[in-house]
Amino acid sequence: MISNLINKIKEKDAPVVVGLDPMLSYIPSFIIDKAISEYRETLEAAGEAVWQYNKAIVDAVYDLIPAVKPQIAMYEQFGIPGLIAFDKTVNYCREKGLVVIGDIKRGDIGSTSEAYANGHIGSVTVGGTELSGFKEDMVTVNPYLGTDGVKPFVDACKKHDKGIFVLVKTSNPSSGEFQDRLVSDASGDEIDDVGDVAALDGVALGDLTRGGKPLYELVADKVNEWGSDCMDGDYSNVGAVVGATYPEMGAKLRKLMPHTYILVPGYGAQGGTADTLRPYFNDDGLGAIVNSSRGIICAYKQDKYSGFGDAGFADASRQAVVDMIDDIRSIF
Amino acid sequence: MISNLINKIKEKDAPVVVGLDPMLSYIPSFIIDKAISEYRETLEAAGEAVWQYNKAIVDAVYDLIPAVKPQIAMYEQFGIPGLIAFDKTVNYCREKGLVVIGDIKRGDIGSTSEAYANGHIGSVTVGGTELSGFKEDMVTVNPYLGTDGVKPFVDACKKHDKGIFVLVKTSNPSSGEFQDRLVSDASGDEIDDVGDVAALDGVALGDLTRGGKPLYELVADKVNEWGSDCMDGDYSNVGAVVGATYPEMGAKLRKLMPHTYILVPGYGAQGGTADTLRPYFNDDGLGAIVNSSRGIICAYKQDKYSGFGDAGFADASRQAVVDMIDDIRSIF
């Protein structure tokens, strides 16, 4: 799957992904009003508005980009009708030739992660028939439960030629609270055996914590491990999420995971800029794909694109994609 | 909400929760066959089979227990029809007077977690109408993204009198891979300033890592912090998940989080036993609720309950609940 994504990135000369994360407050009122007139003030109306909004944006930008990343939470908040809009969006984007990255951040104990993997990038069997619940090409995965929570997703990648991006260092302000903590290579139980440290006088603190490193680096090591038998060309089908908002860590993680594709959220509205993005890429110009959500789908509300008006919201999104691609190309 | 759960636990004298985590392989063939005869080999058939199976079990056990915990992955794997079965299950259990803990393990950046919180334990507004996507009473939350990923759930607890259980130490075999790592109180950036440790000669290694502790304890500290302004009687609406499979850590975490209700998965099929559960409870006999999923809903496949036969699967579940409650009561 990652080779498929790379081919599309090369074809469009655009290592960008558009985040389809619709909030009702983003959607022009004429779309909302029409949906409400048809479905009254219901979850169905919300789902319909989201779907019509997405469809117009996808129609306006699909030829420019390799991939989209719908954030499932923005659909799930509207219950079943919202998830129907998610499903329609995923299927429509795939019909348009886009790689669909489901931003689902799932992760659980083994048997449960297997159900998530089956449901989003694999299949289930009913009677004698193999069926797919949702049909993304790739999904994001939360690693907090460790290898047995991630492995079922890796297995699904192998079996169905799909891909995942494991959360390594997220873009949000408090991501460092746990992810940046220096961790020991030893677990709590082992460390009790160490006793005093007189013998360690003069040793660097990093060594004292037995190769102590930030938690995100330990997760990165695991991403390498999980991805090593899941290669698809020069890159692995097991990728990583590293936020644009932490460029120094991005540079470090790029080196630590040379064969890992990095999905980079946080560009644009969250504060990441093109001049800090170069380190996320390898020298081959590959290795990273940069996401923008609000900055694209809600472009018409920015002063810069206000000339498009509410009615031209999709054209505003197209212009914002053109501008983003120019911006990203400028770093090479 | 936690006081509501506690009242029901006292009323039933049963600190247990039944995990409604249906796999198709658990469901008696007569239910599957009927669903397939009606809906052919489709996702709708799977959803219908899951719903009929759940309904029979809930009807057989609801008077014995305070709460259920449907694991959303087991429904999500069947796409929209599966999630319709989840929604029906949640609503039916609430009608039966049960507290419904949605085992969703969501967690994302702030704005996205807010959407999840709105969708599961809060509300959305469409036009001028306040609506709920899904309608759980409590949900599980993944803390990997830090405070701003958890806060929206805490806010929803306050606003809507709901509850959450934050993953602290999960029950799965590889949970220690990240959760047990000794962490420093310092972040990676700070630690670079420390230089050599000559001056630290003789200091305990725990102090060297500046109060170094396992990551799960750091998460526990945060659970205390998040929960402190969300009290509902003696306990907080912000609870914690600590697996039955790690009783020593359970004992430690019980002491570290005196006002936190602990949801304890891993009893039964995953290997946890009653004699190791006492430390999860406070001296008031409260503070913990023990989950069993497979051990209850798939009881009829165990030798012990095989006399019930396939047709008596729900009665077997009832007997398994009775036995589990007796087992848990025996520890006091």
Side-chain angles (χ1 to χ4, degrees):
Chain A
M1 175 49 67
I2 196 69
S3 63
N4 182 27
L5 177 61
I6 291 170
N7 286 339
K8 285 177 195 288
I9 289 171
K10 287 178 176 168
E11 187 189 316
K12 310 285 175 84
D13 187 18
V16 305
V17 53
V18 171
L20 296 173
D21 310 354
M23 309 271 276
L24 283 189
S25 60
Y26 295 176
I27 303 179
S29 54
F30 72 90
I31 293 179
I32 306 251
D33 292 347
K34 185 161 183 294
I36 287 178
S37 77
E38 195 169 352
Y39 294 97
R40 293 168 295 118
E41 293 183 350
T42 59
L43 297 170
E44 285 72 16
E48 174 65 11
V50 162
W51 160 240
Q52 294 298 340
Y53 177 65
N54 280 352
K55 184 173 177 301
I57 291 171
V58 171
D59 284 342
V61 306
Y62 78 92
D63 60 312
L64 301 173
I65 56 172
V68 289
K69 180 174 76 62
Q71 166 53 260
I72 199 170
M74 297 305 168
Y75 305 82
E76 195 168 315
Q77 68 180 326
F78 301 117
I80 301 297
L83 287 159
I84 289 173
F86 176 81
D87 191 42
K88 283 161 85 168
T89 299
V90 168
N91 297 339
Y92 188 71
C93 291
R94 293 191 67 201
E95 280 169 28
K96 289 286 185 184
L98 296 163
V99 170
V100 179
I101 304 167
D103 198 351
I104 64 172
K105 295 189 179 66
R106 304 303 195 240
D108 209 297
I109 67 169
S111 55
T112 307
S113 276
E114 190 181 341
Y116 280 128
N118 288 343
H120 287 275
I121 55 170
S123 63
V124 293
T125 302
V126 179
T129 305
E130 198 178 339
L131 301 163
S132 291
F134 295 101
K135 301 178 194 70
E136 297 102 309
D137 298 300
M138 311 176 85
V139 293
T140 55
V141 172
N142 185 309
Y144 188 65
L145 282 85
T147 293
D148 62 26
V150 177
K151 197 69 186 351
F153 289 98
V154 178
D155 292 342
C157 288
K158 287 188 211 168
K159 188 170 172 193
H160 301 279
D161 187 25
K162 300 279 186 169
I164 60 173
F165 294 99
V166 178
L167 305 187
V168 172
K169 170 66 186 174
T170 56
S171 60
N172 57 311
S174 65
S175 69
E177 209 166 88
F178 303 125
Q179 297 165 25
D180 292 4
R181 294 295 171 137
L182 279 191
V183 297
S184 159
D185 273 354
S187 72
D189 282 349
E190 293 169 59
I191 213 78
D192 287 341
D193 302 333
V194 175
D196 83 31
V197 293
L200 296 172
D201 191 10
V203 175
L205 191 56
D207 292 339
L208 263 184
T209 51
R210 297 200 214 158
K213 57 177 83 170
L215 178 59
Y216 62 77
E217 284 190 26
L218 185 64
V219 178
D221 292 343
K222 287 289 170 185
V223 166
N224 280 333
E225 189 183 312
W226 298 325
S228 63
D229 65 342
C230 206
M231 295 296 290
D232 176 26
D234 292 335
Y235 290 93
S236 171
N237 278 326
V238 177
V241 172
V242 183
T245 40
Y246 300 99
E248 286 178 29
M249 297 172 190
K252 204 164 162 192
L253 288 164
R254 172 69 289 160
K255 288 193 180 69
L256 284 174
M257 304 182 293
H259 302 294
T260 302
Y261 234 80
I262 300 178
L263 172 63
V264 188
Y267 169 88
Q270 283 186 57
T273 59
D275 56 346
T276 59
L277 286 173
R278 178 63 187 86
Y280 293 80
F281 290 85
N282 277 323
D283 292 338
D284 57 5
L286 297 171
I289 184 162
V290 182
N291 179 77
S292 178
S293 301
R294 211 181 332 162
I296 304 295
I297 67 172
C298 204
Y300 78 105
K301 291 202 174 187
Q302 296 174 39
D303 286 348
K304 187 175 174 187
Y305 303 107
S306 61
F308 288 95
D310 283 14
F313 75 96
D315 293 329
S317 292
R318 183 177 176 88
Q319 189 57 50
V321 168
V322 169
D323 293 346
M324 177 180 175
I325 291 173
D326 281 349
D327 191 36
I328 303 288
R329 282 181 191 156
S330 75
I331 69 181
F332 293 106
Chain B
M1 175 50 66
I2 196 68
S3 63
N4 182 27
L5 177 62
I6 291 170
N7 287 340
K8 285 177 195 288
I9 289 171
K10 287 177 177 170
E11 187 190 315
K12 310 285 175 84
D13 187 18
V16 305
V17 53
V18 170
L20 296 172
D21 310 354
M23 308 272 275
L24 283 189
S25 60
Y26 295 176
I27 304 179
S29 54
F30 72 90
I31 292 180
I32 306 252
D33 292 347
K34 185 161 184 293
I36 287 179
S37 76
E38 194 169 352
Y39 294 96
R40 292 166 296 116
E41 293 182 352
T42 59
L43 296 171
E44 284 74 15
E48 173 66 11
V50 163
W51 160 240
Q52 293 298 341
Y53 178 65
N54 280 352
K55 184 173 177 301
I57 292 171
V58 171
D59 284 343
V61 305
Y62 79 93
D63 59 311
L64 301 173
I65 56 172
V68 289
K69 181 174 75 63
Q71 166 52 261
I72 198 170
M74 297 305 169
Y75 306 81
E76 196 168 314
Q77 66 180 326
F78 301 117
I80 301 295
L83 287 158
I84 289 173
F86 176 80
D87 191 41
K88 284 161 85 169
T89 299
V90 168
N91 297 338
Y92 188 70
C93 290
R94 292 191 67 200
E95 280 169 30
K96 289 285 185 185
L98 296 162
V99 170
V100 178
I101 303 167
D103 198 351
I104 64 173
K105 295 190 179 65
R106 305 302 195 240
D108 209 297
I109 67 169
S111 54
T112 307
S113 276
E114 191 181 339
Y116 280 129
N118 288 344
H120 287 275
I121 54 170
S123 63
V124 293
T125 303
V126 179
T129 304
E130 198 177 340
L131 302 162
S132 290
F134 295 101
K135 300 179 194 69
E136 297 102 309
D137 297 300
M138 311 177 86
V139 292
T140 55
V141 172
N142 185 310
Y144 187 66
L145 281 86
T147 293
D148 62 26
V150 176
K151 198 68 187 352
F153 289 98
V154 178
D155 291 343
C157 289
K158 287 187 210 169
K159 189 171 172 193
H160 302 277
D161 187 25
K162 300 279 186 168
I164 60 173
F165 293 99
V166 178
L167 305 186
V168 172
K169 170 67 186 173
T170 56
S171 61
N172 57 312
S174 65
S175 69
E177 208 166 270
F178 303 126
Q179 296 165 26
D180 293 4
R181 293 295 170 139
L182 279 192
V183 297
S184 159
D185 273 354
S187 72
D189 282 349
E190 292 170 59
I191 213 79
D192 287 340
D193 303 333
V194 175
D196 82 31
V197 293
L200 296 172
D201 190 10
V203 176
L205 190 57
D207 293 338
L208 263 184
T209 51
R210 296 200 214 159
K213 57 177 83 170
L215 177 60
Y216 61 77
E217 284 189 26
L218 185 63
V219 178
D221 292 343
K222 288 288 171 187
V223 166
N224 280 331
E225 189 184 312
W226 298 325
S228 62
D229 66 341
C230 206
M231 295 296 291
D232 176 26
D234 292 335
Y235 289 93
S236 171
N237 278 325
V238 177
V241 173
V242 183
T245 39
Y246 300 100
E248 286 176 30
M249 297 173 189
K252 204 164 162 193
L253 288 164
R254 172 69 288 160
K255 288 193 181 69
L256 285 173
M257 305 182 292
H259 302 293
T260 303
Y261 235 81
I262 300 179
L263 172 63
V264 189
Y267 169 88
Q270 284 186 56
T273 58
D275 56 347
T276 59
L277 286 173
R278 178 63 187 84
Y280 293 79
F281 290 85
N282 277 322
D283 291 338
D284 57 5
L286 296 171
I289 184 162
V290 181
N291 179 77
S292 178
S293 301
R294 210 181 332 163
I296 304 294
I297 68 173
C298 204
Y300 77 104
K301 290 201 174 187
Q302 295 174 40
D303 286 347
K304 186 176 174 187
Y305 303 107
S306 60
F308 288 95
D310 283 14
F313 75 97
D315 294 329
S317 293
R318 183 178 176 88
Q319 189 56 51
V321 168
V322 169
D323 293 345
M324 177 182 176
I325 291 172
D326 281 348
D327 191 36
I328 303 289
R329 282 182 191 155
S330 74
I331 68 182
F332 293 106

